[in-house]
Amino acid sequence: MKRNIGNIVFIVLILATVVVWAVFPPINDGREDFIRTYLGEVLGSLLIVLMSFALFLSTRPRWAEPYFGGLDKMYVTHRNVATSAFLLMLVHLLVVPITLVNLRLGNYLAYVAFLGIVAIVLPTLAPRIPFLSKLTNATYDGWKKLHRFIGIFFIAGYIHALTIDALSAFIAINWVQLFFILGTVSYVYTEFLGGCVGKYLPYTVTAVNHPNNSVTEVVMKPKGKTIQHAHAGQFLFVRFKGDRMLDEAHPFTISSAPHEGELRVTIKAVGDFTRHLFANLKPGMDAVVEGAYGLFNYKNGGDKQIWVAGGIGITPFLSFLRDLKTELAFDVHFYYTVRHPEEAVFSDEIEAIAKKHPRLKTHIRHSAAHGSLTVDEIVKNAGGGIASHHIYMCGPLPMVQAFEKKFLEAGANAENIHYEEFNFR
Ligand SMILES: Cc1cc2nc3c(=O)[nH]c(=O)nc-3n(C[C@H](O)[C@H](O)[C@H](O)COP(=O)(O)OP(=O)(O)OC[C@H]3O[C@@H](n4cnc5c(N)ncnc54)[C@H](O)[C@@H]3O)c2cc1C
């Protein structure tokens, strides 16, 4: 229940906006298009409310994580809210009477806001809509840079509402103003103020290791204050100074344990940033770290657990294992699946830890030689029934989704399946 509170609050506030407009309607000034204008203004208000939510979620408030089920789930909400706002904007445009005479500043601002939002939203939807993907040809980096301007168009959209020939609805307009303030403050905080209030902390890279030919382990030491690493399995955002390509915040799971004095992240080279990092990151470089985030924590699970790591999805489990100071308090079957032996980074360390913890049964699978890991064999090893097992998974999204489906078919409880999304877009 707690993890749904954030979404419930959003829905209540959206409904409250409709109620405020219904209970305190605008004065009918006798204009011809009164009903269309009234409806258009209600839709415009909902648009401001939705966009302010999306901007608020972009601040990545750590305190709000439990109310959404983690930052990754907050991003899912952010995406859904922003997509709804975009669709609502199109409906708003169809409903409001559009005039081409006696244009005011507000009318021009409406076009600016509309075009700006379309330019940002199309590449955002592109990864999910193949046609758009071809049309926009957008890279993640390009999209991210463009996305930073969204607050400007939000502000333009609101000023548009104030400077057109709008209906007079004192209470409703002041209600919406609260959301405009929330959205604007959130945007300014995200883009300009975060650094001043300790959201981003300076670290130094103390070592750069390459456990194989595509993975980099980065070790970092705080220059002053350390981030709040509350439990094993959390992730951070990091960027590196002194190299333009690396000076862009990316999320990575912390693969060290919270009690270690240094932070370690283990990064697979998959794209521009991570490949450049593999080749160019050097000890002594400065890092800027934000976090820690995430609720992926096996200690909140039940007595019997199944852990499944696919490829670089090993990172939260490395942190779990490195965090074991006393005997493991749960019975865990831990599956680590990779295609080839050299991809199983830190497998020696994992085996050594497993030897000290009899309740931890480790199964490292090289699928090219021994076939793909299946849920059937996991269930068999678990003794046949998995209804009460808590399942923790991290790996490529298609793998995690396929396993989730099979676990559910095998009788797992949906509430007991936990996974980290390695994708925010
Ligand atoms: C919570 C979380 C934890 C992660 N932990 C790890 C880890 O421990 N080890 C690891 O190797 N990878 C991890 N990742 C994935 C890692 O963030 C991406 O692989 C990396 O950012 C890719 O960047 P790129 O430019 O090299 O690749 P690209 O090819 O440009 O990007 C590949 C995909 O990565 C995502 N991505 C790219 N840039 C960003 C960004 N700035 N912010 C958010 N997502 C981005 C996008 O979905 C993109 O489509 C994690 C991701 C998340 C969300």
Side-chain angles (χ1 to χ4, degrees), residues 140-141 144 235 237 248-253 266-268 270-275 312 315 420-425:
Y140 188 93
D141 290 356
K144 207 162 177 229
F235 61 94
F237 289 83
E248 179 194 81
H250 280 245
F252 297 105
T253 305
T266 306
I267 299 173
K268 168 122 178 137
V270 293
D272 291 348
F273 179 91
T274 46
R275 283 201 200 109
I312 197 60
T315 51
E420 192 70 274
E421 287 208 30
F422 261 21
N423 189 347
F424 279 156
R425 191 173 172 188

Side-chain angles (χ1 to χ4, degrees), residues 219-260:
V219 188
M220 294 173 285
K221 195 176 77 191
K223 283 187 168 184
K225 240 176 111 188
T226 57
I227 59 161
Q228 286 176 34
H229 187 191
H231 61 82
Q234 288 191 297
F235 61 94
L236 48 68
F237 289 83
V238 64
R239 59 194 168 89
F240 302 94
K241 309 295 277 181
D243 184 321
R244 204 176 51 83
M245 281 277 288
L246 298 179
D247 194 0
E248 179 194 81
H250 280 245
F252 297 105
T253 305
I254 306 168
S255 51
S256 48
H259 65 264
E260 295 179 35

